[in-house]
Structure formats: C-alpha cells, structure tokens
C-alpha cells in the first residue's frame, strides 16, 4: 500500500496520506475550530490528475475582541505539485509570494503539519494530532460509475489542532479541535462524484460527530466517536437530514437537522446552525 481501496488493516502511520500517483484526482483537507478564540476554517490541497497541476484552497474566519467578524480566502492558480514521499508534499512555491501555496507533511505516526498562505492574504501554520489513534476508511474503492471509483481515508476523524492563522493581518493562536482526511480515485469532482458537498462537525472532549451529504450520489453518512464505542463507529445508513431556509430566498440553509436511529445501541439527533456564512 498505497493503492486503490483502503489498506487491508488500519494503519498506525501517516501512510494514510501518501500520494496515489495514478489517481485522476485527490485532495487532503484540514478543518479546525477554536471556540475560545473564535476562529476556524479549512485548508484543502488538491492534486488534479496524474500530471503535476494542483491548487490550494484556503478559507479562514475570525471574530475580534469587538465581536466583528473577519474572513479571508485564497485559491491558487494551477501550480506545480512537489511530491516528497511519505505523505509530504508542497503545492506551488511557498517562497514565491505571488500566489497561494503551502506544504503538507507527515510529522509522526499520529501528527501532520500544514503551513502556507498567500502574501498579503490569509496565512496558516497548523499541527494536527490524531486523538485516540483512531483512523477510518469511509469509502473503500466506491464505484461512482463502472469505470470511476473513489477511496476516502480519514486519517484523523477527531484531532487536536494547534498553531496560528493570520486573517486581515492579525495573527490568532489556535488550540482547538479539527479533522484531516484524504480522498483519491478515478473520478471528476463536482461532475461524476457529486454536485454539491455538505458536511458539519461537532467536537467535544471524548465525543465527535461528523455528518456529510453528497448530492448527486444521494449518499449520506455520519461518523460517531464516543468513549462507549471503542474505535468509533461509521454510520452509512439510516441517516436522515433536513434543512431550514430563511425568508430572504437564500440558497444557504439557516439550520441543518441530522438524526440517526439503528433501532439498537446508537441513536442521536443534532442541529447545526451556521454562525458566519461565506461563499468560497
């Protein structure tokens, strides 16, 4: 391994993030939030095809001491992809300064780092450490069509995230929660795999709930991790959701309602309400 499909056994190493050199598309995503400092965001490293073109997507938000919200985002133009092996790579040239760029590195069996940004724009320097040594295989060579498939590895379903982000020229310290995953396969994002992606996360000490929906595949899932469920549990069926919309006609929901009931040991319901909304 690496290769198509999930490894035969959960890996206790950063091999979950090794580059699949033959994949038609793949991405590595880090999301995080820190309720204490009122900051959050995501960084997405995207490799486009088996060639060398890639992009990086950055979206960071912060609320200052006066309660005012700040938001910055950047998406690079097509850039070179530098594969250093062992789950470490760079998108673009971080020293060039003319475009968004960044590097992703496997630091240890349980930790990755992500660092980069754009000159005069958002900056990130994050260390993600997997909690409880839990990894998940969400999709194992899942066939979108007869010729196209996708594998989705969750290296860190729940992780502590530490570091700094810079939004509007102000640096904010991060000491919160997040997640990191790796998706790869022979598919065209936004066309054959899904038309719209929705997800929501809830983190608390000893508890993690992650819900997602692929419109176009009619595919919903939920990840649940709790002290009473050793190793966590991936729920792929019987997950239902609904959305509330405002009177202004906006396509952005004002709330998501998610529930699951397997008729046995696991039952939950949750409501997510976006506090800050931005288009990226």
């Amino acid at each position: 391994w690496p290769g198509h499909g999930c490894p035969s056994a959960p890996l206790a190493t950063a091999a979950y993030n090794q580059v699949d050199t033959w994949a038609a598309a793949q991405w590595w995503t880090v999301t995080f939030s820190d309720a204490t400092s009122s900051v959050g965001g995501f960084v997405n490293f995207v490799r486009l095809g088996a060639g060398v073109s890639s992009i990086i997507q950055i979206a960071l938000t912060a609320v200052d001491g006066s309660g005012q919200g700040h938001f910055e985002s950047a998406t690079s133009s097509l850039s070179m992809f530098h594969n250093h092996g062992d789950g470490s790579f760079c998108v673009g040239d971080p020293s060039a300064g003319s475009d968004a760029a960044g590097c992703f590195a496997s630091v240890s069996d349980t930790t990755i780092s992500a660092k980069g940004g754009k000159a005069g724009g958002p900056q990130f320097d994050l260390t993600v450490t997997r909690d409880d040594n839990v990894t998940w295989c969400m999709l194992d060579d899942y066939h979108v069509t007869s010729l196209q498939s996708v594998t989705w590895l969750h290296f860190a379903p729940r992780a502590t995230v530490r570091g700094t982000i810079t939004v509007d020229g102000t640096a904010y310290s991060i000491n919160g929660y997040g997640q990191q995953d790796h998706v790869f396969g022979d598919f065209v994002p936004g066309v054959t795999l899904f038309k719209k992606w929705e997800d929501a996360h809830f983190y608390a000490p000893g508890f993690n709930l992650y819900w997602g929906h692929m419109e176009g595949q009619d595919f919903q899932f939920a990840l649940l991790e709790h002290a009473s469920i050793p190793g966590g549990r991936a729920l792929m069926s019987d997950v239902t959701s609904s959305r509330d919309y405002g009177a202004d006609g906006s396509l952005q929901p004002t709330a998501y309602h998610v529930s699951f009931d397997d008729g046995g040991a696991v039952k939950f319901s949750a409501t997510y309400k976006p506090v800050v909304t931005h288009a990226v």
Side-chain angles (χ1 to χ4, degrees), residues 40-115:
F42 74 85
V43 179
N44 198 19
F45 298 86
V46 184
R47 184 171 183 263
L48 302 174
V52 294
S53 296
S54 296
I55 61 174
I56 184 171
Q57 300 169 310
I58 308 167
L60 306 175
T61 187
V63 178
D64 63 24
S66 67
Q68 180 179 358
H70 298 265
F71 174 76
E72 281 192 318
S73 65
T75 299
S76 67
S77 56
L78 291 179
S79 303
M80 293 292 291
F81 184 91
H82 309 277
N83 182 14
H84 304 307
D86 297 326
S88 299
F89 54 84
C90 292
V91 174
D93 183 358
S95 65
S98 60
D99 199 1
C103 291
F104 181 104
S106 293
V107 178
S108 72
D109 286 352
T110 58
T111 302
I112 65 97
S113 68
K115 184 176 182 179

Side-chain angles (χ1 to χ4, degrees), residues 4-274:
H4 292 289
C6 294
S8 57
L11 300 176
T13 71
Y16 267 70
N17 290 306
Q18 287 187 30
V19 177
D20 184 330
T21 56
W22 296 103
Q26 61 187 312
W27 62 83
W28 299 256
T29 302
V30 175
T31 60
F32 68 94
S33 63
D34 184 343
T36 302
S37 55
S38 299
V39 297
F42 74 85
V43 179
N44 198 19
F45 298 86
V46 184
R47 184 171 183 263
L48 302 174
V52 294
S53 296
S54 296
I55 61 174
I56 184 171
Q57 300 169 310
I58 308 167
L60 306 175
T61 187
V63 178
D64 63 24
S66 67
Q68 180 179 358
H70 298 265
F71 174 76
E72 281 192 318
S73 65
T75 299
S76 67
S77 56
L78 291 179
S79 303
M80 293 292 291
F81 184 91
H82 309 277
N83 182 14
H84 304 307
D86 297 326
S88 299
F89 54 84
C90 292
V91 174
D93 183 358
S95 65
S98 60
D99 199 1
C103 291
F104 181 104
S106 293
V107 178
S108 72
D109 286 352
T110 58
T111 302
I112 65 97
S113 68
K115 184 176 182 179
K118 182 174 183 177
Q123 304 285 328
F124 61 95
D125 186 351
L126 303 171
T127 298
V128 180
T129 302
R130 186 174 66 206
D131 285 356
D132 303 328
N133 203 31
V134 173
T135 56
W136 280 325
C137 175
M138 287 299 300
L139 295 176
D140 187 356
D141 202 20
Y142 174 79
H143 278 262
V144 181
T145 68
S146 60
L147 298 177
Q148 299 182 77
S149 63
V150 58
T151 295
W152 181 11
L153 301 174
H154 230 106
F155 169 70
R158 179 166 60 91
T160 55
V161 181
R162 293 184 173 86
T164 59
I165 63 170
T166 301
V167 184
D168 281 346
T170 300
Y172 298 86
S173 295
I174 307 296
N175 187 7
Y177 290 100
Q179 67 91 33
Q180 188 264 306
D181 58 6
H182 178 202
V183 177
F184 60 91
D186 301 314
F187 60 90
V188 181
V191 179
T192 57
L193 180 57
F194 56 84
K195 297 178 180 178
K196 183 171 66 175
W197 174 271
E198 299 175 300
D199 63 1
H201 308 247
F202 175 77
Y203 305 100
F207 180 82
N208 172 32
L209 175 62
Y210 177 28
W211 163 79
H213 172 237
M214 292 183 190
E215 182 180 308
Q217 290 291 315
D218 194 25
F219 176 80
Q220 290 197 85
F221 63 88
L223 305 178
L224 182 66
E225 184 182 6
H226 187 268
S228 63
I229 309 174
R233 183 169 179 180
L235 311 171
M236 295 296 190
S237 61
D238 300 320
V239 179
T240 60
S241 64
S242 62
R243 295 147 190 79
D244 296 339
Y245 294 90
D248 59 0
S250 172
L251 296 178
Q252 173 63 44
T254 57
Y256 297 88
H257 307 281
V258 182
S259 61
F260 174 86
D261 186 352
D262 67 356
V266 180
K267 179 179 181 180
F268 69 79
S269 62
T271 296
Y272 298 89
K273 293 184 178 181

